[in-house]
Amino acid sequence: MEAGWGVKIEYFVEDTPLGNAGALFKLRDRIGEEPFLLLNADAVFDVDFNRMVEFHRAHGGLVTLFTHPNSHPYDSGLIMADENNEVNAWLGKEDERPAYYKNRVNAGLHVIDPKALDMAGIDGSLVGTSDEITGKVIKVDLDRQILKPLCGMHAMFCYDSSEYVKDMGTPKRYRSVCSDFEKGVVEAKNLKNKQKAIFLDRDGTINKYVGFLRSEKELELLPGVAEAIKLINASGYLVIVVTNQPVIARGEVTWGGLAEIHNKLETELGKQGAYIDGLYFCPHHPHKGFEGEVAELKIECDCRKPKPGLILKAVEDLNINLEQSWMIGDSDSDVLAGEAAGCRAIKIEEGGLLEAVETILTY
């Protein structure tokens, strides 16, 4: 069938249900040997797949998962990955999960090298036939039989993106994505288009200021923060956290310790239906003489606020229009960083984030 926009569409009809990946094995010869896109049929999305495919090629894996944060990570399957975005674990809704985790959910869009199918050891000729022992029709489950076995094998990576992907598998979700489409939200979130963002400082803006925060136990969200971030999530703005973390250079917190702090931040926000689209931190500190300090990080850098490096890195990654963006923080260095980057800035008192966000969204 030739679609109206010049795309050739072919259909494979399953006379007997084959599971959500059984058709891949019936079509294995047609697929060939080049990586292909596999997209869930009940998802509405507008994604710059060129970026995703470029990421896939650069990382050299067999599978790339499109991952994103959502408003209910506590009851979603979670993707656990390292600092290079290599997938180490895939936790289903039913699986035990750590106390704190990054809000990273599989969205159902994949780049798959056909070698991943061959590695699954599934005989395509048997798919759809009855099992000799159980008598049940042999089906193939994409996640359990093809993707999850690749965890920790240096073969699967996650591509984190803020672009629009939502499933429409229920009447309520269908109405929601229709509304988003009519408002232009779906198309606007494509990273080919300029994005607008609200940059947030961390300590004293999102969480209670305790001086140098050195443990996840010390992190406590300020009142109204989750509500403020939910408003931003619904507005079309990206939520980007930019924070100085000299505790790394000072040797007071490890990289893993900082990751756990940020995992708690995302977990606590997620429990209240809020999420961040990106988090950038500066680990440097120019002043020397601290016991246990990390010498290579005791430098003058371009990313420590009031310099604008963290904001500019987010602009590069997410195609952000600074003229339509804002910086909110509780210090002069936050304001100066925002202004140096070229966006508008607001200085708040601790606990003032919700009022500032409401002001921006009615500006």
Side-chain angles (χ1 to χ4, degrees), residues 52-361:
M52 185 176 178
V53 171
E54 183 179 342
F55 174 96
H56 176 80
R57 290 171 175 163
H59 284 73
L62 295 179
V63 172
T64 295
L65 307 175
F66 185 106
T67 49
H68 62 167
N70 73 12
S71 59
H72 51 98
Y74 48 83
D75 68 355
S76 300
L78 295 175
I79 304 299
M80 317 297 283
D82 64 15
E83 65 278 0
N84 193 39
N85 280 35
E86 181 185 334
V87 178
N88 294 321
W90 185 321
L91 304 181
K93 299 178 185 179
E94 70 282 0
D95 296 327
E96 184 178 353
R97 58 186 62 193
Y100 306 122
Y101 46 80
K102 182 175 178 60
N103 185 342
R104 176 185 271 144
V105 177
N106 180 35
L109 312 181
H110 322 74
V111 180
I112 298 180
D113 189 307
K115 294 186 183 71
L117 303 181
D118 302 335
M119 288 174 58
I122 295 170
D123 186 343
S125 66
L126 296 179
V127 176
T129 65
S130 297
D131 183 273
E132 294 181 357
I133 298 176
T134 66
K136 295 181 179 180
V137 174
I138 297 174
K139 302 178 181 181
V140 183
D141 184 272
L142 177 68
D143 294 353
R144 292 190 182 91
Q145 293 177 260
I146 300 172
L147 300 181
K148 286 187 178 182
L150 297 178
C151 291
M153 293 182 61
H154 311 292
M156 185 160 60
F157 294 82
C158 55
Y159 170 74
D160 294 327
S161 178
S162 60
E163 292 169 293
Y164 191 100
V165 184
K166 289 186 180 179
D167 75 72
M168 56 175 182
T170 68
K172 181 179 179 180
R173 291 172 180 172
Y174 174 75
R175 289 191 293 270
S176 176
V177 297
C178 285
S179 175
D180 287 342
F181 185 84
E182 291 170 359
K183 294 175 183 176
V185 174
V186 179
E187 180 181 8
K189 298 285 278 187
N190 188 305
L191 287 178
K192 289 188 294 187
N193 302 315
K194 284 290 185 180
Q195 305 297 302
K196 54 184 182 178
I198 295 180
F199 297 96
L200 302 177
D201 174 49
R202 195 191 78 179
D203 302 314
T205 302
I206 295 176
N207 55 278
K208 184 181 294 186
Y209 180 76
V210 296
F212 288 118
L213 192 156
R214 299 179 176 89
S215 167
E216 73 280 0
K217 297 176 182 178
E218 299 175 312
L219 186 138
E220 179 182 344
L221 294 182
L222 288 165
V225 162
E227 184 180 351
I229 292 178
K230 284 170 65 176
L231 288 176
I232 303 173
N233 295 150
S235 72
Y237 281 90
L238 302 179
V239 181
I240 310 294
V241 177
V242 288
T243 176
N244 291 346
Q245 290 302 312
V247 288
I248 297 291
R250 289 160 58 106
E252 297 170 349
V253 177
T254 64
W255 295 96
L258 183 61
E260 188 68 356
I261 290 170
H262 290 150
N263 284 345
K264 181 177 182 181
L265 173 65
E266 295 204 41
T267 302
E268 295 301 320
L269 286 172
K271 288 177 180 178
Q272 299 184 61
Y275 59 88
I276 61 174
D277 295 291
L279 189 153
Y280 296 79
F281 65 88
C282 170
H284 307 111
H285 190 235
H287 307 305
K288 301 179 181 180
F290 296 85
E291 184 178 354
E293 67 186 15
V294 182
E296 60 268 27
L297 298 177
K298 305 296 288 187
I299 61 172
E300 291 283 353
C301 64
D302 294 327
C303 54
R304 180 175 167 82
K305 293 178 294 183
K307 294 181 179 177
L310 295 177
I311 295 174
L312 297 179
K313 182 66 172 73
V315 169
E316 178 185 349
D317 291 345
L318 300 171
N319 194 22
I320 294 170
N321 182 345
L322 285 167
E323 293 182 356
Q324 292 186 321
S325 300
W326 296 77
M327 173 74 213
I328 303 176
D330 67 325
S331 71
D332 291 336
S333 67
D334 297 320
V335 172
L336 291 171
E339 292 175 345
C343 61
R344 288 166 284 192
I346 297 177
K347 182 179 177 181
I348 62 172
E349 299 292 332
E350 188 170 274
L353 182 59
L354 179 56
E355 182 181 355
V357 168
E358 290 175 334
T359 298
I360 290 172
L361 298 183

